[in-house]
Amino acid sequence: MARFFRACLFLANTLVIVLGVSLCGFSSAFLSNASPNAVRTDLFPKDVLYGFLTLGIACLIVSAHGCFTGYKASRPHMVGFASLLLLIVAAQILLAFVTLSHSRSPLGPVAQIWNTASQAERAEFESFFGCCSLNGLADNLGNSSSPTSQHQPDEDLVAGSLAATSAASAASAESCSATGLPHCLPLMAHHWELLTRTVGLVILVLSLIPVSAVVIAAGLWINTAAKPKGDRVSIIGSIDTFDEAFVMQAAEHKRFEPGTGSNDDDR
């Protein structure tokens, strides 16, 4: 039975390794915008991505320890391995709920991403989602702000800036209404909500992998618990048998030694 649990433990460790590699690859692709659709990778919370990267590295380290535990079949190593897996399960469930919480209010993060994006990045968003402008209003022209926004401006400069902003807003709204394209805010918010909800549910379901590894480690611990006692009894029995055989051989040898009573009686 112990061999069966050891084989299952190696299989569970393989799945934990796959989980770790997947988390590291997913987070690295989104953080570096290396995915085929780089625009879509911007619409995901960065704090969750760093959490995924840390969790993936932890999975790889713990899985290496699990392979060593399965090879040695040592009870202390099994306890340590199961404890680390329980920590991974807790962190994974926490990250899943944090990811799901980001899907409840997507408008704020999406608007912030749009406002901090350059004109080229906004054009990529519009091309990808097939939309025009964020919400038909001014798209935070502070991205290309002038020095007057950082110092106390003159009244004439303020009036000129407001007039330019109003003109730009009117031109943007007119151009978007002429194209007939929808605004980008609801489309980007829907994408943010769908992506965070899907990833959160997937991470929550994948927490069953380390949970199964914990169960298998517990089964292996139970099946190897009586093994040291059995080895000790067999070793003690072997020593007693050896001692008994040695005593009998010594007595037999002493019986046939010259000058002993047993030898004289035989003569």
Side-chain angles (χ1 to χ4, degrees):
M1 197 66 179
R3 291 184 178 180
F4 171 75
F5 279 103
R6 289 180 68 180
C8 292
L9 185 62
F10 281 115
L11 178 61
N13 277 317
T14 303
L15 294 178
V16 173
I17 292 174
V18 173
L19 175 63
V21 171
S22 300
L23 290 173
C24 291
F26 176 82
S27 57
S28 300
F30 271 63
L31 289 172
S32 61
N33 285 342
S35 65
N37 296 319
V39 175
R40 300 177 62 181
T41 60
D42 292 330
L43 298 176
F44 199 86
K46 295 295 187 292
D47 55 342
V48 175
L49 292 176
Y50 285 113
F52 286 167
L53 182 61
T54 305
L55 182 61
I57 296 174
C59 287
L60 294 177
I61 296 175
V62 173
S63 61
H65 177 63
C67 292
F68 177 77
T69 300
Y71 175 75
K72 296 294 289 185
S74 173
R75 293 184 65 193
H77 286 95
M78 294 177 196
V79 173
F81 175 61
S83 301
L84 293 175
L85 283 176
L86 289 176
L87 292 177
I88 287 180
V89 171
Q92 192 170 349
I93 294 175
L94 178 62
L95 277 175
F97 281 104
V98 170
T99 307
L100 291 173
S101 66
H102 280 286
S103 65
R104 298 177 181 176
S105 55
L107 295 179
V110 168
Q112 184 179 3
I113 291 173
W114 180 274
N115 292 332
T116 56
S118 63
Q119 294 297 331
E121 292 172 341
R122 293 179 183 180
E124 291 180 1
F125 282 123
E126 292 176 344
S127 175
F128 180 81
F129 290 101
C131 57
C132 183
S133 180
L134 181 63
N135 53 7
L137 303 176
D139 292 340
N140 192 0
L141 299 180
N143 192 37
S144 56
S145 58
S146 62
T148 58
S149 62
Q150 301 176 2
H151 304 283
Q152 186 67 27
D154 186 58
E155 292 182 359
D156 295 336
L157 293 177
V158 171
S161 177
L162 290 176
T165 302
S166 300
S169 301
S172 176
E174 183 179 356
S175 61
C176 288
S177 61
T179 57
L181 295 175
H183 300 309
C184 296
L185 181 60
L187 298 177
M188 294 172 63
H190 175 71
H191 174 79
W192 174 285
E193 180 180 1
L194 181 63
L195 185 60
T196 52
R197 184 178 300 174
T198 303
V199 173
L201 291 177
V202 170
I203 294 299
L204 189 61
V205 172
L206 290 179
S207 63
L208 294 176
I209 293 178
V211 169
S212 63
V214 172
V215 175
I216 294 172
L220 183 60
W221 184 86
I222 293 173
N223 281 272
T224 56
K227 185 176 180 180
K229 296 181 179 180
D231 290 345
R232 184 178 179 182
V233 171
S234 62
I235 292 173
I236 294 175
S238 300
I239 293 175
D240 293 340
T241 304
F242 177 79
D243 291 341
E244 184 179 355
F246 179 78
V247 171
M248 293 178 62
Q249 185 177 5
E252 189 72 18
H253 179 72
K254 184 177 181 180
R255 178 182 177 184
F256 291 100
E257 282 184 354
T260 60
S262 300
N263 194 15
D264 294 340
D265 293 340
D266 293 340
R267 291 179 181 177

